[in-house]
Amino acid sequence: MKTRAGFICLALLLFCLSLACVSASDNVTGDALVNNPNSSLNPENITINHYYTPENVTKNQLVTIVANVTNKGQMDYHNLTLYYNLPQGIEPIIWPSEYVNGTWTIDSLYVGESYSLMIVGLIKVSNTTLTTTLSDENETLSTLNIIVFPSADLAIRQERILVDGLWHWFIRVDNNGPDDGVNTTVYYLPEYLAYETVVGEVVGSQWYVGTLKSGEYASLMLVCEPLDKYSFNILVLSDIFDPNMANNNVSGSSSDNPGNNTPVKVVDRNATGNPIALLLFALFMIPLTKFRRVRK
């Protein structure tokens, strides 16, 4: 019995000695929140790189947001939990499985290792700054300001009506938004024409519309007498980024001209429009009007 008791005591002694021999470097991993007072994680050892692409972002465009954390310390971490907040103006489209409802979980972050969170989102607002935040349970660790630039989708179209032997040629510019078109200008108008407009001013081959508000339009009437041949390629631009350039120009020639296949020649640069032509213009253009105002 004494022998058996001595063996048990010896085994217990050896076990205690084995526990005492474990060094601190063998037991440095743990569950941690950055900057948590109860955490063994030193935030000074974590480097955060926060960015987005592309640099120029507008409404209804996809943006890729990246938050990269690097362990510059002397210890490994497991089950690291961070919180990544997206503002309401960004609708997440693609995100990794470790990101759930704003919580970003990193299984292991070893010494010298980097780990990235990448989210693809759709911009739902315009002309503003959106701020994303990376935080722990106590405070914000990093912020990212995403500048959403203004945009204005300008569109141009034309229609010609023959009245009393004269062409009344109507050109209309619409701003489909979401923002105002600053310094809206129509280029490459034929210079040999008479015109009427209540918006802006025509000088030479350019129509200076000015600021065309979102959801509004401007129209120009050109009074011309028929000629044998003609062609045109008219363009509208503004100082604001246009996300859809496909509808920014209108072109044509005598081959697509209804009636006499005839073009433009000035009759009287101070001529006024025929009231019937204006009525036809109103009847034709108003039913096709589309207003796309942005709710703010």
Side-chain angles (χ1 to χ4, degrees):
M1 292 295 294
K2 292 183 178 180
T3 302
R4 182 177 179 182
F7 178 78
I8 294 174
C9 292
L10 180 60
L12 290 173
L13 179 60
L14 292 174
F15 177 75
C16 293
L17 288 174
S18 66
L19 291 177
C21 292
V22 176
S23 65
S25 61
D26 294 328
N27 190 26
V28 295
T29 62
D31 299 343
L33 287 173
V34 179
N35 285 3
N36 189 321
N38 298 323
S39 171
S40 59
L41 176 63
N42 185 352
E44 295 181 357
N45 294 333
I46 299 296
T47 301
I48 300 173
N49 183 23
H50 211 169
Y51 62 92
Y52 69 96
T53 58
E55 293 183 0
N56 295 329
V57 179
T58 58
K59 184 179 179 181
N60 297 324
Q61 184 177 8
L62 293 177
V63 61
T64 300
I65 306 167
V66 178
N68 183 75
V69 295
T70 302
N71 185 355
K72 296 291 187 178
Q74 301 299 318
M75 57 182 291
D76 301 332
Y77 292 97
H78 299 293
N79 298 322
L80 181 62
T81 301
L82 300 173
Y83 304 97
Y84 196 79
N85 177 62
L86 289 178
Q88 291 184 352
I90 302 178
E91 177 184 342
I93 303 297
I94 302 174
W95 60 90
S97 58
E98 59 268 22
Y99 178 72
V100 180
N101 296 327
T103 300
W104 178 24
T105 302
I106 302 176
D107 291 337
S108 297
L109 187 63
Y110 297 100
V111 173
E113 183 183 42
S114 296
Y115 207 87
S116 295
L117 172 67
M118 183 173 69
I119 300 174
V120 178
L122 179 66
I123 300 296
K124 303 293 289 183
V125 294
S126 182
N127 196 19
T128 188
T129 298
L130 301 173
T131 301
T132 66
T133 59
L134 176 65
S135 62
D136 65 7
E137 195 173 38
N138 300 307
E139 62 180 301
T140 298
L141 305 174
S142 177
T143 62
L144 179 66
N145 291 326
I146 300 176
I147 300 174
V148 184
F149 290 90
S151 61
D153 177 19
L154 298 180
I156 188 170
R157 55 194 177 95
Q158 61 86 31
E159 184 68 21
R160 285 152 287 171
I161 302 173
L162 187 62
V163 179
D164 296 335
L166 296 178
W167 280 112
H168 292 74
W169 188 6
F170 304 106
I171 296 177
R172 170 168 163 161
V173 176
D174 289 81
N175 181 2
N176 297 320
D179 298 294
D180 296 347
V182 179
N183 292 329
T184 299
T185 304
V186 175
Y187 298 90
Y188 312 127
L189 291 172
E191 297 185 41
Y192 40 87
L193 47 83
Y195 59 86
E196 285 186 3
T197 180
V198 296
V199 178
E201 181 182 13
V202 177
V203 179
S205 63
Q206 296 184 6
W207 174 22
Y208 299 95
V209 180
T211 297
L212 188 61
K213 293 185 177 298
S214 175
E216 295 187 349
Y217 71 91
S219 59
L220 177 71
M221 186 178 73
L222 315 176
V223 181
C224 328
E225 77 173 9
L227 289 177
D228 293 333
K229 295 181 180 180
Y230 77 101
S231 64
F232 61 90
N233 188 10
I234 304 173
L235 174 70
V236 62
L237 296 172
S238 76
D239 291 348
I240 306 302
F241 172 75
D242 194 322
N244 179 22
M245 293 294 293
N247 55 6
N248 283 56
N249 76 292
V250 60
S251 60
S253 64
S254 58
S255 61
D256 68 3
N257 187 17
N260 297 332
N261 287 337
T262 52
V264 293
K265 181 180 179 181
V266 63
V267 177
D268 178 359
R269 293 196 65 85
N270 296 316
T272 59
N274 187 306
I276 298 177
L278 292 176
L279 177 60
L280 292 174
F281 168 68
L283 293 175
F284 173 78
M285 298 294 277
I286 291 178
L288 298 180
T289 301
K290 293 182 179 180
F291 291 92
R292 293 172 57 189
R293 297 186 180 276
V294 178
R295 295 182 178 179
K296 297 184 178 180

